[in-house]
Amino acid sequence: MLHDRVLVRISPEDGERRSSGGIVIPATAQMAKRLAWGDVLGVGTGVRHVKVGDRVLFNPEDQLEVEVQAQTYLVMRERDVHAVAKELTDHGTGLYL
């Protein structure tokens, strides 16, 4: 990757989801715009706040897709990342933004 670009693979759990009442909502259901979680697989030399292996929150509709060895990835600028998830293991468990 070059400059401030980030290569992301969308997390597989972003497909089908369940409501709090247990109703299955298919991935094709149209709702309001949703942000997606993804795993960072590569970063450019100008990226400062994201590293390989991080989970990031972003808008998948505004990104460019690229296919490498039959896998689809997204390429975005670092500024298009809304949040980076960190897992704190010192005193508790869970995912923190």
Side-chain angles (χ1 to χ4, degrees):
M1 302 304 300
L2 297 174
H3 310 295
D4 65 340
R5 303 289 192 231
V6 178
L7 182 70
V8 175
R9 178 182 58 213
I10 295 180
S11 297
E13 65 264 11
D14 283 337
E16 192 175 89
R17 47 190 196 278
R18 276 188 196 276
S19 71
S20 59
I23 298 172
V24 175
I25 302 169
T28 57
Q30 260 318 334
M31 295 182 71
K33 281 186 163 183
R34 293 184 63 100
L35 297 178
W37 287 102
D39 300 314
V40 176
L41 300 178
V43 296
T45 56
V47 175
R48 293 179 285 170
H49 302 291
V50 178
K51 62 183 185 305
V52 174
D54 282 348
R55 283 183 53 80
V56 294
L57 185 67
F58 61 94
N59 184 355
E61 294 178 7
D62 294 338
Q63 310 313 321
L64 302 172
E65 286 188 7
V66 62
E67 188 172 319
V68 178
Q69 296 179 352
Q71 293 280 9
T72 302
Y73 303 99
L74 298 177
V75 177
M76 66 185 77
R77 291 179 179 253
E78 182 183 22
R79 69 179 182 205
D80 294 333
V81 172
H82 295 283
V84 178
K86 299 288 183 190
E87 199 161 337
L88 299 179
T89 57
D90 294 346
H91 300 293
T93 60
L95 201 57
Y96 299 92
L97 298 177

